[in-house]
Amino acid sequence: MHDNDWSVACVALPSESRAARAYATTDLADAYAIRLPKDAVTDPELLARFLFSQQAPWAAGLMRARDTLVAGFGLKTSGQLKSPSAKSRHDRISIFKIYERDTHEILLGEDDKHLDSRVSVLHQTRTVSAECAPYLVVSTVVHCHNLLGRTYIRLIAPFHRLIIQSNMRRAARAGWPVLSRTP
């Protein structure tokens, strides 16, 4: 049984993901996969909401430091992104705007003057040892507009990778949301 498998694997950007087609050129592209329990929900929006609510305290500290540094450059802070207008409150997950949804994927992201980013949360079924298994793949692509964007992404990329993997492991340890069982 693999329901307690909390390992996160670096994988190729899934070709079926909308993130793979988001930009003609990217300055960052990565993807990570984790096996889900067989009874986990399949709705990518529910999975994304759960995933992005699992941030470790050290990652929140890094975000506060990032906000302090970028505010001086006129870039959006996480506080600004998490405080949307009443009209758009339901069109966001954490700091990300929802761009597209379908039955297997939700595409999130944000645009700013230095770069645009998209994050895909994709529910996949993979064949592992002749068995079909559910997986969650989180992909990120970034397109930079200028030197500030390219410098920024080079500086934060290692932290971005650590945070995504940490969120995925923490969500697995917490227990992914499961399909409701009716008696």
Side-chain angles (χ1 to χ4, degrees), residues 2-3 5-7 33-38 128 131-136 172 176:
H2 294 278
D3 286 359
D5 186 356
W6 303 329
S7 60
I34 190 166
R35 189 168 180 167
L36 295 171
K38 290 195 182 297
V128 179
E131 171 187 38
C132 289
Y135 275 80
L136 183 73
W176 295 101

Side-chain angles (χ1 to χ4, degrees), residues 32-49:
Y32 297 93
I34 190 166
R35 189 168 180 167
L36 295 171
K38 290 195 182 297
D39 63 347
V41 298
T42 59
D43 181 333
E45 183 170 343
L46 290 175
L47 290 166
R49 288 188 186 284

Side-chain angles (χ1 to χ4, degrees), residues 12-165:
L13 202 64
S15 60
E16 73 269 27
S17 172
R18 285 177 171 79
R21 304 180 295 280
Y23 306 112
T25 61
T26 59
D27 296 277
L28 177 136
D30 59 33
Y32 297 93
I34 190 166
R35 189 168 180 167
L36 295 171
K38 290 195 182 297
D39 63 347
V41 298
T42 59
D43 181 333
E45 183 170 343
L46 290 175
L47 290 166
R49 288 188 186 284
F50 185 74
L51 172 70
F52 290 113
S53 71
Q54 301 302 314
Q55 192 169 68
W58 62 264
L62 285 174
M63 287 300 289
R64 284 190 300 276
R66 174 234 176 246
D67 288 346
T68 300
L69 293 171
V70 302
F73 291 97
L75 304 179
K76 297 175 186 174
T77 65
S78 59
Q80 291 168 319
L81 296 171
K82 286 182 180 180
S83 300
S85 67
K87 178 183 171 196
S88 65
R89 185 174 303 132
H90 299 290
D91 293 334
R92 298 191 77 80
I93 296 177
S94 185
I95 62 171
F96 303 109
K97 178 181 174 186
I98 298 172
Y99 281 90
E100 297 180 44
R101 304 177 175 107
D102 71 20
T103 57
H104 300 289
E105 181 180 34
I106 187 164
L107 188 66
L108 312 169
E110 194 59 50
D111 296 343
D112 207 341
K113 65 182 184 181
H114 65 311
L115 59 78
D116 297 340
S117 64
R118 295 295 179 268
V119 177
S120 161
V121 177
L122 176 69
H123 182 272
Q124 279 187 330
T125 301
R126 295 177 170 199
T127 303
V128 179
S129 303
E131 171 187 38
C132 289
Y135 275 80
L136 183 73
V137 181
V138 179
S139 305
T140 305
V141 293
V142 175
H143 173 74
C144 296
H145 300 300
N146 52 36
L147 180 60
L148 174 60
R150 287 186 295 279
T151 302
Y152 173 83
I153 206 63
R154 273 190 226 108
L155 292 173
I156 66 105
F159 302 107
H160 151 78
R161 292 180 180 109
L162 289 173
I163 291 169
I164 290 292
Q165 293 176 74

